[in-house]
Every structure is written in C-alpha cells, then in structure tokens.
Amino acid sequence: MQLIDGKLIASEIKKELAVKSAAIIDKGDRAPHLVAVLVGEDAASQTYVNSKEKACRDVGFTSTIYRLEADTTEKKLLDIIDFLNNDDEVDGFIVQLPLPAHINVQKIINGISPLKDVDGFHPVSLGRMMLGEPTYLPATPYGIMQLLEHSGIETSGKHCVVLGRSNIVGTPLSVMLSRKANPGNCTVTVCHTGTRNLKEIALTADILVAAMGQAEFVTADMVKEGAVVIDVGIHRIEDNSEKGYHIRGDVKFDEVAPKCSYITPVPGGVGPMTIVSLLMNTFKAYNKEV
Ligand code: GUN
C-alpha cells in the first residue's frame, strides 16, 4: 500500500508556482492577484479563507479578503462582484460558500465573470469543462486529477466509482474522469442516495472516490483488493483530547488502507490540493489562458 501524500505534492506544485511568480515580479510586473469575498462569520469559511490567503503569500501572489457583514444584501454583494469583474488588477476571485440564507447562491455565482471564475462554479465554466474547452476546473476535482497524475496512477480503461453527486465534487469529477484525456478515459459509475446496491458496485471499483460526506462510510468489505482509494471527506469528530476533536474522512482508513494499492490520508490527502488548484487557476487567470 502506498500513501498518496497530498501535502508533499501540493508543496511541490506551490514551489513551481513560487518560481514563476518570482520571475514575473523580477520583470517588474505585478503579481497574480486573488480576491476572496467572505459574507458572515461561518467558522469553517473563515478558516478556509485564511488558508487561501496564506497559500497566496507562500507563492508570492497578492491576496485580498473582502469581509462583509452577515446581513449584507444580495444587491450589495452583486455590486461588489460587478466591481471585481471590472477591476484590471484582480485576476480571479471567489465568493466563499455557504452564503447566508437570504442570498440566492446561484444568482451570485451567475454574476461572476467566467473570465475571473477561479472556483469554476459558473455555468459557463462548467459547460466548458463538459466540452473539454479551456476553463477553470473546480478546485477539489482538479486537485484529485492532479493527485492521480503526480502519483503516476494509470486511469485509462479503469472502472472508477464515485460515491456522491455534489455539484462541487462528485458530478464534475465524474465528467473529468470519463473524458478522453490523461488522467481520464475511465469508465465511471456515480453512486448516490438513490443507488440500491452501492456496496456491490463499490467492490468493482479499480479507483474508488469517497465524496458522500459521511464519516468513515467506506469500510473494508466495500473495497476490492488493490484498489486506489481517494477520500474527499473531512469530518471533525469530538473527543477528550486537548484539541477536543480529531479529523476523519469518508473512509475507515485503518481497515481499508491494507487492501489498497494507493490511498489518500485525511488530513494530508485531497485537502491540501484544493487550495493549490485555486492557485493554479489564479495563475491561469493572470496569463489570460481562459
Ligand atoms: N466552500 C467550501 N468549498 C468551497 C470552494 O471550493 N469554494 C468556495 N467559494 N466556497 C467553498
């Protein structure tokens, strides 16, 4: 069994980005600039946004956070998005989700210019991904594709089972894995809450992606000997330790790992790659590759 070290792969990609960013700054040009818009006080969102800011700093990108009150109106947020769409010194921006209940999320995403949509959530970005045209790929599935590529895992012709059909992970990942590309060219099955024989299907997976958002859902009896297992889950499990919690994924790691050819740990697998994907998208935006 080989661990897929997302932390290490992420740090290697960050080093490459830092070198490219330094070359830009040495030329006297401005650095790539990512903006994050955060509405309200959601604790997890604050942590994510702070990590994104730190990652930008690590690679020499400029980063700005707009922190808005929880009662910010939809109109005000759309005005800010319009401003960012037209600011030539901003290459890409994200609106951190979830948003307060009074704001229509899709309306906000639709307001973001597809040219600056480094989250890849805009319908145009997702449509371009479907067609295989240049676009910003959503961070988590993009990160998973990078992990497969950097680990040298053969995907062509393999049966990949994706557990979960979210708009952010399962659905876009199933498209990316089935595209005629490398990594890709897989036969993909998507399992979800309506799937009747999930365990039997999971057992046929050469590559099993656990992205259903249930802690330790995937047990050893659901995994084929020699499978590649990618764990997208991040769950805080409360305990009596000093920190008060420990982190687990969607996979029961201790019993599943011995059966795998490769497996991602949690933490330190998919997680570190998502922020790197956002940095890669920001660099693409800076270079006007989309
Ligand atoms: N909330 C959780 N993940 C994400 C993400 O990738 N992008 C944004 N904007 N919000 C999130």
Side-chain angles (χ1 to χ4, degrees), residues 4-5 26 28 91 108 111-112 216 219 271 273:
I4 301 178
D5 189 342
D26 281 350
D91 299 298
I108 297 304
I112 298 171
E216 302 192 305
T219 45
M273 294 301 293

Side-chain angles (χ1 to χ4, degrees), residues 19-71:
V19 169
K20 290 179 185 166
S21 174
I24 289 168
I25 296 162
D26 281 350
K27 268 198 313 184
D29 292 339
R30 71 163 176 83
H33 184 189
L34 172 69
V35 172
V37 180
L38 178 62
V39 186
E41 307 285 329
D42 182 74
S45 292
Q46 307 245 17
T47 308
Y48 285 138
V49 166
N50 290 338
S51 310
K52 287 167 188 173
E53 184 179 44
K54 179 182 177 300
C56 280
R57 235 183 293 131
D58 290 346
V59 298
F61 288 7
T62 306
S63 140
T64 308
I65 304 180
Y66 283 53
R67 293 177 193 276
L68 309 177
E69 302 287 337
D71 62 358

Side-chain angles (χ1 to χ4, degrees), residues 37-274:
V37 180
L38 178 62
V39 186
E41 307 285 329
D42 182 74
S45 292
Q46 307 245 17
T47 308
Y48 285 138
V49 166
N50 290 338
S51 310
K52 287 167 188 173
E53 184 179 44
K54 179 182 177 300
C56 280
R57 235 183 293 131
D58 290 346
V59 298
F61 288 7
T62 306
S63 140
T64 308
I65 304 180
Y66 283 53
R67 293 177 193 276
L68 309 177
E69 302 287 337
D71 62 358
T72 301
T73 63
E74 194 174 272
K75 165 84 173 60
K76 173 91 191 290
L77 184 54
L78 284 169
D79 286 346
I80 290 169
I81 288 172
D82 197 40
F83 175 80
L84 293 169
N85 283 340
N86 291 297
D87 185 342
D88 289 340
E89 306 241 311
V90 172
D91 299 298
F93 65 97
I94 65 155
V95 178
Q96 186 65 33
L97 304 180
L99 287 169
H102 67 278
I103 296 176
N104 180 326
V105 176
Q106 199 55 51
K107 208 164 157 187
I108 297 304
I109 291 174
N110 291 352
I112 298 171
S113 163
L115 297 175
K116 296 194 177 185
D117 173 37
V118 286
D119 254 336
F121 291 170
H122 191 282
V124 167
S125 305
L126 292 168
R128 285 190 178 143
M129 179 200 65
M130 290 286 296
L131 297 168
E133 289 183 9
T135 189
Y136 303 111
L137 299 173
T140 303
Y142 189 15
I144 292 168
M145 299 304 277
Q146 294 285 320
L147 282 182
L148 293 170
E149 185 178 348
H150 280 256
S151 307
I153 292 168
E154 179 61 70
T155 56
S156 185
K158 298 293 168 70
H159 183 210
C160 181
V161 174
V162 179
L163 306 178
R165 58 177 159 191
S166 72
N167 286 343
I168 293 183
V169 185
T171 296
L173 181 65
S174 67
V175 174
M176 288 182 210
L177 284 166
S178 61
R179 293 192 51 75
K180 193 164 186 173
N182 184 26
N185 217 25
C186 295
T187 304
V188 180
T189 304
V190 181
C191 295
H192 43 72
T193 47
T195 301
R196 297 226 173 98
N197 47 345
L198 188 145
K199 182 182 156 188
E200 286 71 25
I201 296 170
L203 267 169
T204 67
D206 302 310
I207 301 170
L208 181 65
V209 181
M212 83 296 289
Q214 282 187 50
E216 302 192 305
F217 177 88
V218 175
T219 45
D221 58 341
M222 296 165 70
V223 179
K224 182 167 76 174
E225 199 69 46
V228 175
V229 171
I230 307 289
D231 189 349
V232 183
I234 302 181
H235 308 276
R236 268 190 190 198
I237 314 284
E238 289 184 15
D239 62 20
N240 293 324
S241 70
E242 206 174 305
K243 258 200 309 194
Y245 66 89
H246 58 277
I247 303 286
R248 288 287 182 270
D250 282 359
V251 175
K252 210 162 197 169
F253 183 89
D254 289 347
E255 63 175 58
V256 170
K259 294 187 87 174
C260 298
S261 55
Y262 291 88
I263 185 167
T264 60
V266 176
V270 173
M273 294 301 293
T274 60

